Amino acid sequence: MTRRDMLLAALVATMWGFNFVVIDWGMRGIPPLFFVAVRFAVVALAVVFVPRPVASWKTIVGVGLFMSLGQFALLYTSIALGLQPGIAALLLQAQVVLTIVVAALALRERPNRMQTIGVLVGTVGLGVVALGRGGDAPAIAVVMCLLAALSWAIGNVISRKAGPVAPAKRFGALSLTVWSSLVVPLPALALSALIEGPDAIAAGIAVFGWRPLVSTLYTAGLCTLVGYAIFNALLARNRSASVVPWVLLAPVVAMISAALLLAQIPNGWEIIGGVVLVGGVFIANAPVRRGAGRGPGGTAQAQVPPRTRPSERTAITPMPQPASPRSGTS
């Protein structure tokens, strides 16, 4: 990667990490499911400018239901229940190891050695974070965040099962992200009315001022549209093995931002567990060299990007956004 691309990768990771703090900051007083409906209604407006990806509606709907609706409905609710944004960003990285497990069960895809090690290490990290909460967040909030990661993982596998999805010309995987967002607003609004109640929605609309508006524009505009446009451009110019590890900065940015702006300091166990979890994610995404790095003639063998090998197509980009097959997924 060039220095410019490395700076762009760091910028995207920073935007995605800060995203969690912005969600928490803007959602105060707004029902979480209603807030999800508003966010994706804004994202869906981009279908006017982004052509439909060459994918079946079954794939588009599946991606929308699990990667967007399921993931973010559960994530927003977990934050509303008291889960710190930094810890939420950390726990959401479990989608990487969960995707490998779900793919093994649903698609009979056998994980390679590095993925297996990554799953084990990541599971240990999750256990440390969960057990070391120190009473800072309700257990239900932790569970819901992990279910958000599971929903993302299921969406990844749905996309993987559908096979290669040809992206719309010039828009890359952003086209699938935008079009799948059409699935979210109405179901999210219906769930909000059913679970949170019409009165809560009315109260949320009444207090929907500049803070939730700025939060929505940041999460929908910068994080989803601009962030994915930059990330897809990076993947087009570089190997995924060079781009993906930069996204591991996102939970670090989220935790630092929450500590500085919200005075939410993770305890020692959460930090230790987070380091172990991110380590497991990094291992699961690590490229594997064939033939011990040597070709038949003893010359150095070119390293194959993980997404080109069937056994590694479930090494997922660890990001807090709806993903797509182009970025390793989802």
Side-chain angles (χ1 to χ4, degrees), residues 51-283:
R52 177 186 162 185
V54 184
S56 67
W57 277 109
K58 181 179 180 181
T59 298
I60 294 173
V61 171
V63 169
L65 287 178
F66 287 94
M67 290 186 195
S68 298
L69 178 61
Q71 177 192 172
F72 286 95
L74 290 162
L75 173 65
Y76 276 46
T77 302
S78 70
I79 294 176
L81 289 173
L83 187 63
Q84 295 180 6
I87 303 302
L90 196 61
L91 292 175
L92 203 60
Q93 303 313 307
Q95 63 92 11
V96 177
V97 295
L98 288 173
T99 298
I100 295 171
V101 173
V102 174
L105 295 174
L107 304 181
R108 300 296 189 265
E109 287 189 350
R110 182 179 178 182
N112 61 41
R113 183 174 60 182
M114 295 301 290
Q115 290 174 332
T116 302
I117 295 173
V119 168
L120 295 176
V121 173
T123 302
V124 171
L126 283 174
V128 173
V129 172
L131 294 176
R133 290 181 304 108
D136 294 331
I140 184 62
V142 174
V143 171
M144 293 195 78
C145 191
L146 291 176
L147 288 175
L150 177 61
S151 182
W152 187 355
I154 294 172
N156 290 338
V157 174
I158 289 174
S159 179
R160 168 71 184 90
K161 185 177 181 180
V165 175
K169 187 177 181 181
R170 296 188 299 108
F171 288 92
L174 178 64
S175 57
L176 181 59
T177 301
V178 169
W179 278 78
S180 65
S181 69
L182 290 170
V183 179
V184 182
L186 290 180
L189 188 60
L191 287 172
S192 178
L194 180 65
I195 298 173
E196 296 163 341
D199 291 341
I201 295 176
I205 294 174
V207 299
F208 201 97
W210 68 272
R211 283 174 53 152
L213 177 61
V214 170
S215 176
T216 299
L217 293 177
Y218 180 90
T219 56
L222 278 180
C223 286
T224 302
L225 300 177
V226 176
Y228 264 96
I230 296 174
F231 192 76
N232 290 330
L234 291 173
L235 286 173
R237 295 194 296 266
N238 304 277
R239 289 166 32 185
S240 61
S242 298
V243 178
V244 167
W246 284 91
V247 187
L248 294 179
L249 290 174
V252 177
V253 171
M255 296 181 79
I256 293 175
S257 301
L260 294 177
L261 300 177
L262 304 177
Q264 295 178 345
I265 311 297
N267 60 41
W269 286 110
E270 289 170 338
I271 293 175
I272 293 172
V275 170
V276 175
L277 171 59
V278 171
V281 170
F282 186 82
I283 292 171

